[in-house]
Amino acid sequence: QVQLVESGGGLVQPGGSLRLSCAASGFTFSSYAMKWYRQAPGKERELVATITSNGVAINYPASVKGRFTGSRDNTKSTVYLQMNSLKPEDTAVYYCNSAIWGRQYWGQGTQVTVSS
């Protein structure tokens, strides 16, 4: 079955960096676009990045553009989100997602907390 497993979250100081990973299994990873979303307490889930099947990252919102970079390694069935210059407002649970066979699949999420 399809599985998406995020890792790499944690507590970081403002201005710091983290790299999130999402390991995928159960489908032909290289054929599908992957997305990163985040959800802060009391807020709606927000699309952070889309990484096309061939590795082009698009759809960064203004709030993260220039600071976040999505990428993927199709040989490892893993998608990444490099987050630099982190701000307290980046605090959220980060999820990876893909639409496969007409259905949305989500990972369990990884918590990112930006605080001094």
Side-chain angles (χ1 to χ4, degrees), residues 3-69:
Q3 283 195 314
L4 302 174
V5 180
E6 302 96 335
S7 62
L11 174 64
V12 62
Q13 292 188 342
S17 297
L18 282 175
R19 188 175 83 153
L20 306 183
S21 300
C22 173
S25 61
F27 63 104
T28 306
F29 179 78
S30 59
S31 297
Y32 293 90
M34 300 295 296
K35 297 183 179 183
W36 284 100
Y37 285 81
R38 68 182 180 184
Q39 188 165 23
K43 295 189 176 181
E44 292 188 356
R45 197 166 290 191
E46 174 188 30
L47 176 64
V48 174
T50 299
I51 301 93
T52 65
S53 59
N54 60 358
V56 177
I58 57 175
N59 290 343
Y60 298 112
S63 56
V64 308
K65 192 171 290 186
R67 301 187 298 120
F68 288 14
T69 304

